Amino acid sequence: MTAFNLLSEPIRKYIRDKKWESLRPIQEASIQRIISTDNNYILISRTASGKTEAAFLPILSKVNFKEPGVKVLYISPLIALINDQFLRVESLCEYLDVPVTKWHGEASKGAKDRLLKSPEGIVLITPESLEAMFVNKPYNLHHLFSTLEYIVIDEIHSFLGSDRGTHLQSLLNRLQKINIKKFSIVGLSATVSDANQYIELKEFLGDTDRTKVIRDTTPKPINALFKYFAGSVEELPLPLLKDLYIRTRDRKVLIFPNARGRVEEVAVKLKQISEKVGGHKNYFSHHSSVDKEVREYVEFFAKNSTLQNFCISCTSTLELGIDIGNVDDVVQIDATHSIASLIQRVGRSGRREGKASNLFLYATEPWSLLQSLACWMLYQEQYIEPVSVNKKPYDVLVHQLLSIVKGSSGVSMTQLLDEIAGNLTFSNISPEETEDVIRYLTSIDFFEKLGHELIIGMEGEEVVNNKDFYSLFDTPVFFKVSSGGVKIGELPLSPQIRENENIYLSAKIWSIKDIDYQTKKIEVLPAKDGKKPKFSGDAADTAYQIREKMLEILMSKAQYDFLDEVAQQIILLLRNEFSSFTINDFKKERPLLDHNERLTFYSFTSSKINRTLKLLLDGLKIESTLDDKDSSFEIEDHTAEELKTALARSDIGQNIDEILTDLLENSPQIIDFSKWGKYLPVNYQVKVLKEKYFDFEGCHAYLKDLKLIKNNQ
């Protein structure tokens, strides 16, 4: 029997009405398996290959929606993605008369009330909104989700290896406990290619034997061109912007810079160029600070713009699978920090069947060009960074303990320990460790003992009753930005937010006239003084394999026809800089530049190992300056031999807990990368640093094999 014939008649009618000529490969494979088994499935296929339908066509054909209760829960990392997928799923469900409900902070209260009154159909939700239910309305969870049959997790790769992913794991475990029977999970991803990641994905869903991977390996042709224009941190060079304008003026384009301020700079300056030469006006910015209604208008315009061209400068808000129609080109400005991100972004173009994706990469700095090239080479080798799974997520444990106690309105120590012990997410954390954390939370008044029960304490009340409690990531304090009573967007408080300073927002330049810190409001006027806004962006961690590939490129003589002439010259100049080193083993050998009075050690390793090496050098009393951008250490007052001897003799495990305890005492802000880590006892904060901020195991292996190769003088 064909996959099409396995589908229910209403779904077959939907396909006929849509005039599909055939099912996509991922749909053919998933329909036959999902309908015939109750396994968990992970569907891996490139962007715009029909993964959403690959999950929902068989699920809608299989599930009996006439039974009471919500039958399918769709979990998404983004509210915008929920709003987008809602239309697709609702269109499908009209053929079955199955209701679809959005449940998030921006969704209709009326629709939520109707669902609570009569639980049925499909619910689309974020992990944070699901958490809010556990905390505030646990009885609703039983009422809505005790007869769930399927959970669909969109963009599942975006959760892997993050606190948010660990949080989602915990929520899935807690949902399963209130469910009458075992539900099945279908995960959707476009960026998993390594077989090792299959194991991590299966473990993420908690049942490796019952979880199967279906992967469509159909290649997607990609045309790539890399260009180089020397720039600065302050602003992009005008020749780059002019070239970018000429390339994109008659196209539908997404541009991905690496910082929100640069997103706005690109949108503003391209719009200015277009106005001067009489081009189109459809230049937009899209990121989390832009007003929601403006973002939704941009998405609607792009999706429905069949005749008009457009250019959207954006952050990762448009990296994931929001459908904005057909995009001709994707532009990346400077290096992405991960290959997975590059794949997602490239996949946004050439969505029509048979069309190639087009990537233009503009680099403004030599090492950024080199890193971009390394990411591209690894992508062509079908390599994606391995996911770092936190086996002992103590900081997420803090959050979930608070959630359980708040949701239960009082629970005994035994019950709380049992609840955590039964959650696979925390299976590597011992009951004794959990009890340690609970006792500490009690000592800082996050919990209070009331008879035999634990309740939320006075300090804990402030935390759990804050709207930011439901997330595992820190939400900066945002100020609403308005001009003449019209809301433009929001901005996080930063050093540049001062009266009479200019800012970029919503593809325009504004001058700040007033800041009200009490009401968190900023009043602006269109800027007319020509003063350039300033901005800053946070650097992201880079993986070991990318750095290793960068070294390999430097030592190679290979030519790359997708680099423009200037970019080729920049790579040649970098190679000349490193031509005094003879390196043959890219796994073990690293350049050590001896300038007579100082050394430059190029580690070509991950950001986490670089931080660990810096800590180690500090412990050895070797003064150094780390620049993670080019993975280099500047070292004064030591000879090459002294450095080699010190690194060879160093014991990376010696007194490390003591060193990290001192570090936390002197620089407590070092734990700020973990939203909930700061509420742990210090010895557990040390464990979090070792697991998530440093890489002692990786550093030990790195140093064990390290051979420093001096320059030929």
Side-chain angles (χ1 to χ4, degrees):
M1 189 177 283
T2 65
F4 178 80
N5 290 331
L6 287 171
L7 298 171
S8 66
E9 176 50 32
I11 298 300
R12 291 203 297 265
K13 185 175 188 317
Y14 169 85
I15 292 170
R16 288 194 296 268
D17 288 353
K18 290 289 182 182
K19 295 184 168 50
W20 292 6
E21 292 180 9
S22 63
L23 293 168
R24 302 278 183 86
I26 193 71
Q27 294 164 354
E28 285 274 359
S30 67
I31 288 166
Q32 301 195 43
R33 288 166 177 80
I34 290 172
I35 284 181
S36 61
T37 75
D38 289 325
N39 289 331
N40 296 329
Y41 285 100
I42 296 152
L43 311 183
I44 302 171
S45 183
R46 58 181 172 76
T47 303
S49 59
K51 288 187 296 296
T52 302
E53 288 78 9
F56 276 102
L57 293 175
I59 288 172
L60 292 174
S61 295
K62 181 177 180 180
V63 171
N64 180 6
F65 287 97
K66 290 186 171 63
E67 293 177 353
V70 175
K71 295 299 168 190
V72 181
L73 187 65
Y74 163 97
I75 298 175
S76 162
L78 293 175
I79 288 175
L81 190 52
I82 284 178
N83 294 340
D84 178 62
Q85 295 289 42
F86 174 77
L87 300 172
R88 295 172 73 180
V89 177
E90 189 181 46
S91 169
L92 252 172
C93 288
E94 281 173 0
Y95 283 72
L96 296 161
D97 198 25
V98 170
V100 184
T101 307
K102 292 183 281 187
W103 192 294
H104 55 65
E106 298 170 6
S108 154
K109 184 179 182 301
K112 292 178 182 177
D113 290 343
R114 283 193 296 277
L115 182 73
L116 288 171
K117 194 173 179 182
S118 177
E120 57 181 338
I122 298 172
V123 171
L124 286 67
I125 199 166
T126 61
E128 289 73 29
S129 291
L130 191 55
E131 175 64 59
M133 274 197 193
F134 272 107
V135 171
N136 300 320
K137 297 178 180 175
Y139 47 87
N140 282 348
L141 284 162
H142 290 265
H143 181 54
L144 293 173
F145 302 134
S146 60
T147 60
L148 269 180
E149 293 189 31
Y150 274 93
I151 292 181
V152 178
I153 305 174
D154 208 351
E155 308 286 0
I156 192 170
H157 54 272
S158 70
F159 293 108
L160 284 181
S162 69
D163 287 349
R164 206 172 175 215
T166 307
H167 180 211
L168 177 56
Q169 271 185 301
S170 178
L171 294 175
L172 292 174
N173 275 274
R174 292 169 70 183
L175 265 181
Q176 189 63 79
K177 283 180 188 171
I178 64 169
N179 217 53
I180 291 167
K181 63 175 187 176
K182 200 168 183 65
F183 49 68
S184 299
I185 303 175
V186 179
L188 312 179
S189 177
T191 64
V192 180
S193 67
D194 192 296
N196 291 328
Q197 288 191 25
Y198 295 173
I199 298 163
E200 286 151 3
L201 277 165
K202 289 179 177 184
E203 288 176 349
F204 182 84
L205 298 187
D207 193 339
T208 53
D209 294 336
R210 189 172 157 247
T211 302
K212 312 297 178 187
V213 175
I214 303 174
R215 184 181 170 207
D216 175 12
T217 56
T218 307
K220 176 75 172 174
I222 298 171
N223 303 317
L225 176 64
F226 287 43
K227 305 201 78 175
Y228 185 87
F229 293 87
S232 67
V233 175
E234 288 75 31
E235 61 179 333
L236 289 170
L238 186 58
L240 183 155
L241 291 159
K242 286 181 175 177
D243 187 89
L244 179 53
Y245 174 76
I246 291 165
R247 286 191 179 278
T248 60
R249 63 187 170 188
D250 299 321
R251 315 278 286 170
K252 296 179 173 68
V253 186
L254 291 183
I255 301 177
F256 290 96
N258 286 332
R260 190 163 36 202
R262 186 132 279 173
V263 165
E264 290 288 355
E265 180 192 5
V266 168
V268 166
K269 291 183 175 177
L270 288 181
K271 196 174 191 176
Q272 288 172 343
I273 293 171
S274 191
E275 284 170 355
K276 281 180 185 175
V277 299
H280 71 72
K281 297 177 181 178
N282 307 323
Y283 287 86
F284 308 105
S285 63
H286 190 290
H287 52 81
S288 58
S289 293
V290 174
D291 185 61
K292 177 174 82 81
E293 289 184 11
V294 176
R295 288 200 311 270
E296 288 176 355
Y297 169 75
V298 172
E299 293 160 20
F300 176 83
F301 180 91
K303 189 172 182 178
N304 294 280
S305 178
T306 51
L307 299 176
Q308 294 189 68
N309 292 312
F310 60 80
C311 177
I312 306 172
S313 182
C314 50
T315 56
S316 55
T317 51
L318 285 182
E319 183 178 307
L320 299 178
I322 299 168
D323 183 9
I324 54 166
N326 294 311
V327 172
D328 298 314
D329 305 323
V330 166
V331 176
Q332 173 67 41
I333 296 180
D334 284 317
T336 57
H337 297 286
S338 75
I339 299 153
S341 182
L342 180 65
I343 292 168
Q344 280 291 139
R345 293 176 179 189
V346 172
R348 303 303 283 154
S349 75
R351 290 169 72 89
R352 283 191 291 251
E353 199 64 22
K355 276 200 74 174
S357 292
N358 294 318
L359 170 68
F360 295 104
L361 191 137
Y362 288 83
T364 62
E365 191 275 327
W367 285 88
S368 176
L369 175 65
L370 182 62
Q371 185 169 321
S372 300
L373 182 52
C375 286
W376 181 245
M377 300 297 290
L378 286 166
Y379 167 66
Q380 290 186 312
E381 294 168 17
Q382 295 194 317
Y383 176 85
I384 299 177
E385 300 92 344
V387 173
S388 176
V389 178
N390 188 358
K391 297 292 185 187
K392 290 193 167 191
Y394 298 107
D395 45 358
V396 181
L397 174 66
V398 168
H399 179 262
Q400 290 295 276
L401 285 168
L402 288 164
S403 169
I404 293 164
V405 174
K406 171 68 174 174
S408 64
S409 302
V411 62
S412 71
M413 174 71 91
T414 304
Q415 287 173 308
L416 188 53
L417 289 169
D418 287 347
E419 178 86 18
I420 295 299
N423 190 323
L424 288 171
T425 312
F426 307 109
S427 58
N428 292 309
I429 296 176
S430 70
E432 292 77 22
E433 289 175 314
T434 303
E435 199 165 344
D436 273 354
V437 174
I438 293 169
R439 291 191 194 287
Y440 181 75
L441 291 172
T442 307
S443 75
I444 61 171
D445 207 19
F446 271 44
F447 291 148
E448 185 183 326
K449 201 89 185 292
L450 194 66
H452 294 295
E453 288 192 331
L454 287 167
I455 61 170
I456 298 293
M458 291 287 286
E459 293 293 326
E461 286 285 352
E462 275 190 47
V463 173
V464 299
N465 291 329
N466 189 302
K467 64 181 175 61
D468 292 332
F469 172 72
Y470 312 116
S471 69
L472 267 288
F473 47 86
D474 261 319
T475 309
V477 177
F478 277 93
F479 280 53
K480 288 183 180 175
V481 182
S482 302
S483 180
V486 178
K487 187 182 171 191
I488 298 158
E490 296 181 330
L491 284 176
L493 202 58
S494 70
Q496 83 180 81
I497 305 298
R498 295 199 305 263
E499 286 183 16
N500 299 318
E501 282 291 334
N502 285 359
I503 57 169
Y504 287 120
L505 188 58
S506 202
K508 291 181 181 173
I509 303 177
W510 306 90
S511 178
I512 297 174
K513 290 301 155 199
D514 183 64
I515 304 172
D516 189 328
Y517 290 93
Q518 201 162 4
T519 60
K520 297 185 176 62
K521 289 181 180 176
I522 298 171
E523 183 66 23
V524 297
L525 290 172
K528 300 191 188 313
D529 56 11
K531 191 162 58 174
K532 291 168 184 169
K534 298 173 184 173
F535 66 88
S536 59
D538 295 327
D541 284 357
T542 303
Y544 179 93
Q545 290 79 3
I546 294 173
R547 294 273 167 73
E548 189 179 279
K549 180 60 75 172
M550 289 165 71
L551 176 60
E552 189 179 325
I553 291 166
L554 286 176
M555 295 297 124
S556 165
K557 290 184 171 59
Q559 298 295 307
Y560 309 105
D561 58 7
F562 50 85
L563 269 64
D564 78 343
E565 195 173 329
V566 180
Q568 288 183 25
Q569 287 301 313
I570 293 297
I571 294 297
L572 187 60
L573 286 170
L574 279 172
R575 284 174 171 171
N576 286 340
E577 280 183 37
F578 284 81
S579 61
S580 59
F581 301 99
T582 306
I583 290 177
N584 300 306
D585 188 336
F586 306 121
K587 298 281 181 196
K588 299 177 180 178
E589 296 175 346
R590 292 294 181 268
L592 180 65
L593 182 63
D594 192 337
H595 314 252
N596 295 324
E597 292 186 9
R598 75 178 197 280
L599 304 171
T600 305
F601 164 42
Y602 290 96
S603 61
F604 286 103
T605 188
S606 72
S607 301
K608 284 176 77 172
I609 291 179
N610 274 339
R611 284 197 289 268
T612 314
L613 283 169
K614 179 73 174 81
L615 188 73
L616 177 64
L617 290 170
D618 290 348
L620 292 168
K621 308 296 185 206
I622 297 174
E623 284 193 26
S624 63
T625 305
L626 167 63
D627 184 349
D628 191 54
K629 179 187 68 180
D630 61 5
S631 198
S632 70
F633 292 82
E634 293 289 338
I635 297 166
E636 305 278 352
D637 303 325
H638 281 80
T639 65
E641 293 311 313
E642 285 171 343
L643 179 65
K644 285 180 180 180
T645 303
L647 289 175
R649 289 180 180 172
S650 66
D651 182 355
I652 199 129
Q654 188 178 22
N655 302 326
I656 201 62
D657 285 9
E658 192 179 315
I659 291 166
L660 291 179
T661 302
D662 289 344
L663 185 63
L664 282 162
E665 191 174 319
N666 296 318
S667 308
Q669 72 278 4
I670 197 169
I671 198 75
D672 284 354
F673 67 88
S674 168
K675 180 176 178 178
W676 299 97
K678 57 192 170 194
Y679 302 123
L680 284 163
V682 171
N683 57 322
Y684 286 89
Q685 289 187 31
V686 165
K687 293 173 192 282
V688 171
L689 282 178
K690 286 162 79 172
E691 179 71 35
K692 294 165 77 170
Y693 190 74
F694 297 107
D695 182 0
F696 292 98
E697 193 177 319
C699 191
H700 177 75
Y702 175 84
L703 287 174
K704 183 168 153 289
D705 293 332
L706 178 65
K707 292 180 182 174
L708 294 174
I709 307 297
K710 273 179 64 177
N711 49 309
N712 305 318
Q713 292 174 319

